[in-house]
Structure formats: structure tokens, C-alpha cells
Amino acid sequence: MDGNYGHRITAKALASRGLVRITGHGPSWKATLTDAGASRVAELKPSTTADAPGDAADDLKALRDRLEAGGGRLGLNDRDDDIDYPKLVWHFNKSEYRPHGKELHLSYPNWQDRKHPRLEYRDWFWDLVEKPEVQAIAPKSHLGTLAKTFLESKGDQFVTKESLPRAARIIESIVRHAAKAGITTRDPRAVDERTRRGGGSAREWSGHIELDVGEAVLRVQVREVGGRGGEKFDWSSGGSFDRKLYDQIQRLPQWQRNRNYWFVPTGKLELRVARPGFGFDGSKWGDTRTDQLEDRLGDVFQRLGVAQLEREAANSRARAAEEERDRDWAAAMTRAKALFRANQEEALLMEQASRWRRHHEITALVEELKRRSRDDGADAATVEWIALGERAARRLDPFEALAAPNYSNPTAENLEPYLDGWSAYGPRRAH
């Protein structure tokens, strides 16, 4: 509970209801149940995810069996139970029932819907990457290029003068282990400077080491943990400009000036890791009461190995999605071509049917003219009309020299109306 006062806040709320009694201060602080609190505990309905060892184990085992039966996924529709699913998932992931290399994940259709939780296994690569032992170098050891660059770059050291030698040795330890492991190391500041010269953009605070294993690139930053009590910079206190204080602040390293607060040294160091272009607010390891940062350098390389597996998995998913998109596009193109051909066939048939109807009507007219000429006698005009009709009937006869249908190949514009939003030019182009 070091540094976490959540339990005291909760106890205060319970004390205001007469359920606990608080005594002592600091290390002697303690909260005990009152009679009313004990009665309330006895009245509480046991949770479905009870903490009793037997009940909890049974619940977790049952959950594992249901997940296995569902192929690693479990969807719950219109649940009316009182199960604390976040707590259940947390206990499951800490238990022996979690499969090696997998982690149980809880999600919902949207932030409003809490009646349809979904549980599924996701990759947990930390099980698959062994944490190496990184040898820390001794004081006064020879320093390489990156460690020396760190000592010379005062603007972004993030470490006070007293802790600089130790921070430089930590950087050198990481670089030496990376060389043994075949991992490429670079100065991220130099990489970003080349990016800026090429017209790109890069964050100002870019880290002290870049580790590259091909599939994944991580940057490492060494920082000193600041203490509490640092006052805000104020060189115009009381409305008057304090030139001496202002000059003192301007002489500080840039990383301290940008804080706008006086940095309180603690001598405690930490390592922060991030991908290029992202902030160093995610994975971090530092000095603790029991361990020095030098004993935790292997965590950085384990994180790098995890990042490599994550990138490989992401690439695999991207390739699978790309292949599926290619298949869907090919199927859409096949359907579009079939629909276009069907349209062509219908158009040809309608043309032939129209020609046949005109031929039929003209032939019927000629026959009627001939009948009338037999009954009433044929004059010159009737004879001319009969000859005209016979010539036209011969031209329009659909069965005279009937040729096989001729289909033109469809263009991209011909197929677009049949593609349901796909582009005829390829699966990666929007219509």
C-alpha cells in the first residue's frame, strides 16, 4: 500500500457510516470493524466470485472449461447475474488456469451496454520471452559512444549532475548487452535529426538509446525520479522582476527549465521505454526498496522481445486481412463480370426480339397486301408496297445467317456499377 491511500479513503467513508473504527496515525494507523460493520458483513450476499479458496477455484475452473468449449471465446447475452466480471477476469489471469501465452480479455459492444460482456483469450507474449540477465558495468569502466553522447547532451539528460555517472553506466550496460545479443543500437536524437533534415517531423525528447531487432524498434530513456515539494518558478513575485532568480533559472539544463518547477533530486533512477514517435509514459522500471535499477535491465530486453512478437503477430494479422481482402475483391470482380455478361446477353436477346417482332409485323403486312391484291386485283402501288415489304422482311429476318453472339470485354467503368463499393482497379483502392 506504499503511496496508495485508497484504503484510507475507503475506511473514512465506512467510518462515517459507523461500520469501522479508525485509530492511530502514520505507521500505527489501523481500521477495525464495529459491531454494526460485522453485522453488515454477515448480511452481505456472497459474491459469485467469492474469495474463499474452494469456491474461487471452482469458479475459475468452470470459466476455463466454458472458454475451451467455446474455442477461447465466450459471449454472454442479457445476463441477469451479479458477477463482478472485471474482478473475475483479474483473478483468472492471476491463477493457474490461465493458458500459457494467453490472457483473458473482457470487452463490451459499447460503453453503454454492460449486459453483453465478451470474454476471449488474447496473446500474452510475456510468457514466451525469457528475461535475460544483463551484466552491469563497474564504476570507471570505459564508456562507448552512446554513453558519452548522453553525458555531453545536457539539454535532455533528465538526470541531475550527481547521478550522471551512474546513468551513463546503465546506458553502457544496455548497449553492451545489445551488442552481445545481436541487437542494433543507435542514438535516437541523431535519427530524429536526419528525419527533420529530410522534411519529416520528430518529437523533441526522443530518448537516449534506440534498440532495433528488425520487426520492432524501441527507445529507452533514463530519468531521475523527482521528489516532492518542488516550487513553481516565480521570478516576478510581488510584481517585481527578480533578475538574479531569472538568470539562475536560465542556467538550468533545458529539461529542468521546461518543467517550470524546481526539480527535487532523489538519486532514484528509472528506465522508460516507448516506440519511436510516442511518449515515454508506458513501460518503465526503476529503483525500489529491494532492487536497484541495474538489477532490472533485463526487463528492457524482455519488453523488446515482447514488442518483436507483437509486431510479428500484427504483421501476420495484416497479411491475413490483406489476403482476405484480395479474395473478397476477386470474388466481387467475378460476380461483377458475370452480372455484366448477363446484362450483355439480355441486351442482345432484346435486340433480336425487337428485330423479330418488326420482321413478324412486316411479314404479316405483306401477306395482307397479297391477300387483298388477289381478292381486289393488284394495282401498281400495291405491287410496289409488296416488293418494299419483302425486301425489308429479308433484311430483318433474325434467322437469316444467324451468327454467334459477340461480347465485348468489359472496361473498369463497365464493372464499377456491379462491384458494391469495390474499385475495379484493385482491392486497395476506394471506389
Side-chain angles (χ1 to χ4, degrees), residues 106-118:
L106 170 67
S107 63
Y108 298 93
N110 56 66
W111 68 272
Q112 292 177 314
D113 187 354
R114 290 297 184 267
K115 293 183 70 63
H116 302 85
R118 293 191 293 253

Side-chain angles (χ1 to χ4, degrees), residues 250-264:
Q250 296 309 306
R251 287 193 294 270
L252 292 173
Q254 186 179 356
W255 68 270
Q256 291 192 36
R257 291 202 308 271
N258 288 352
R259 290 170 51 87
N260 292 319
Y261 283 85
W262 290 101
F263 184 79
V264 179

Side-chain angles (χ1 to χ4, degrees), residues 246-296:
Y246 177 81
D247 291 341
Q248 182 182 357
I249 292 172
Q250 296 309 306
R251 287 193 294 270
L252 292 173
Q254 186 179 356
W255 68 270
Q256 291 192 36
R257 291 202 308 271
N258 288 352
R259 290 170 51 87
N260 292 319
Y261 283 85
W262 290 101
F263 184 79
V264 179
T266 62
K268 294 182 178 180
L269 299 183
E270 67 179 8
L271 288 175
R272 297 189 178 192
V273 175
R275 288 181 292 159
F278 289 81
F280 291 88
D281 298 321
S283 301
K284 56 184 178 182
W285 303 270
D287 293 325
T288 65
R289 291 181 178 179
T290 56
D291 295 310
Q292 288 285 95
L293 178 57
E294 286 82 349
D295 300 325
R296 308 185 66 186

Side-chain angles (χ1 to χ4, degrees), residues 175-233:
V175 171
R176 291 187 184 185
H177 183 83
K180 292 179 181 177
I183 299 171
T184 302
T185 57
R186 290 185 288 264
D187 181 358
R189 290 158 295 197
V191 173
D192 288 348
E193 181 58 31
R194 288 194 296 272
T195 300
R196 295 188 192 99
R197 286 201 302 267
S201 61
R203 295 174 64 94
E204 185 174 359
W205 307 120
S206 54
H208 300 125
I209 315 171
E210 183 171 277
L211 302 171
D212 185 352
V213 290
E215 286 292 342
V217 177
L218 288 182
R219 291 185 172 184
V220 182
Q221 189 180 76
V222 185
R223 281 180 178 257
E224 182 173 355
V225 180
R228 296 181 179 180
E231 296 181 358
K232 187 174 182 179
F233 293 159

Side-chain angles (χ1 to χ4, degrees), residues 34 98 107 114 150 160 209 229 233 241 267-268 301 355 395 408:
T34 62
R98 178 180 67 82
S107 63
R114 290 297 184 267
F150 165 76
T160 55
I209 315 171
F233 293 159
F241 180 71
K268 294 182 178 180
F301 290 93
R355 186 175 180 179
R395 286 197 307 271
S408 60

